[in-house]
Amino acid sequence: MNQSPMKNLLAAFFLFTVALTSSSQELWLNEVDDFTGACRKVTSPEIIGDNGKDSNYDKVSIRFSALRINDSRAFRLKSSSHLGCAGADGNYAMLKFSDDTVIKFDDTAEINCQDMASSTFLVSDEMWARIEANDAPVMIRLKQSEYYTDAKTVNAEMWNAHWAAVGK
């Protein structure tokens, strides 16, 4: 009796199950207001990339979460290193895509000077078109009041899964 086809079938099922669970994102907030019908969804922050640690700097990672409030969308970025205050004038995020397009966003968070505070960025129409096309950035720069850091590697699958989670 040849069990190889059965083993192959079980292996394929296992890989499919792992792929489904690894690309789904947990929602930190998922609520609909009983009176207004307003929908608010926010994914749990996850490491989306890092600076690729070179000889001059320690490894610094950037955490990402996607937000949707009704039809408005935004994202939050947070560094594993203190970069200063979130929400301060001059704070920004820049996303670089594989076609060398760079989109810059201003930080809209309330001022928060706690260590490793999250900055919030509103999604523009140009950015929304890229999200709908599953076009994830290849690099991210997060600049807060004192310093900036670059994520030189970005997990595109995770980026897209976060947006899919808040889009449902």
Side-chain angles (χ1 to χ4, degrees):
M1 189 190 263
N2 187 356
Q3 291 185 350
S4 183
M6 184 59 147
K7 284 182 183 179
N8 289 342
L9 182 61
L10 288 173
F13 177 74
F14 175 75
L15 290 174
F16 178 73
T17 304
V18 168
L20 282 178
T21 57
S22 68
S23 65
S24 64
Q25 299 303 316
E26 183 178 323
L27 289 173
W28 173 78
L29 176 68
N30 183 13
E31 64 183 26
V32 176
D33 186 283
D34 291 334
F35 292 95
T36 65
C39 175
R40 298 188 318 192
K41 294 184 178 196
V42 181
T43 58
S44 297
E46 290 189 86
I47 294 174
I48 194 77
D50 61 52
N51 64 350
K53 187 179 186 285
D54 59 30
S55 60
N56 297 323
Y57 303 100
D58 288 335
K59 184 176 181 178
V60 178
S61 59
I62 293 179
R63 290 185 173 272
F64 163 80
S65 62
L67 299 84
R68 178 170 69 98
I69 299 174
N70 294 328
D71 293 331
S72 297
R73 288 170 172 77
F75 60 97
R76 288 187 183 136
L77 297 176
K78 175 181 182 175
S79 173
S80 63
S81 175
H82 184 63
L83 302 177
C85 300
D89 281 343
N91 287 8
Y92 61 84
M94 292 194 311
L95 307 181
K96 185 174 184 176
F97 294 86
S98 60
D99 63 1
D100 288 332
T101 298
V102 175
I103 304 175
K104 186 175 181 181
F105 302 87
D106 293 324
D107 188 351
T108 61
E110 291 188 20
I111 293 179
N112 180 348
C113 296
Q114 292 180 348
D115 282 354
M116 298 166 277
S118 294
S119 289
T120 304
F121 307 96
L122 299 176
V123 171
S124 63
D125 290 341
E126 178 184 13
M127 183 65 205
W128 183 243
R130 288 187 179 267
I131 291 167
E132 287 186 313
N134 288 327
D135 186 7
V138 294
M139 291 178 67
I140 298 173
R141 173 168 288 171
L142 172 60
K143 195 264 182 208
Q144 291 183 322
S145 65
E146 296 176 24
Y147 305 102
Y148 73 86
T149 190
D150 293 340
K152 296 180 180 178
T153 58
V154 175
N155 183 329
E157 183 178 313
M158 184 184 301
W159 172 271
N160 293 329
H162 275 260
W163 290 113
V166 297
K168 298 175 187 173

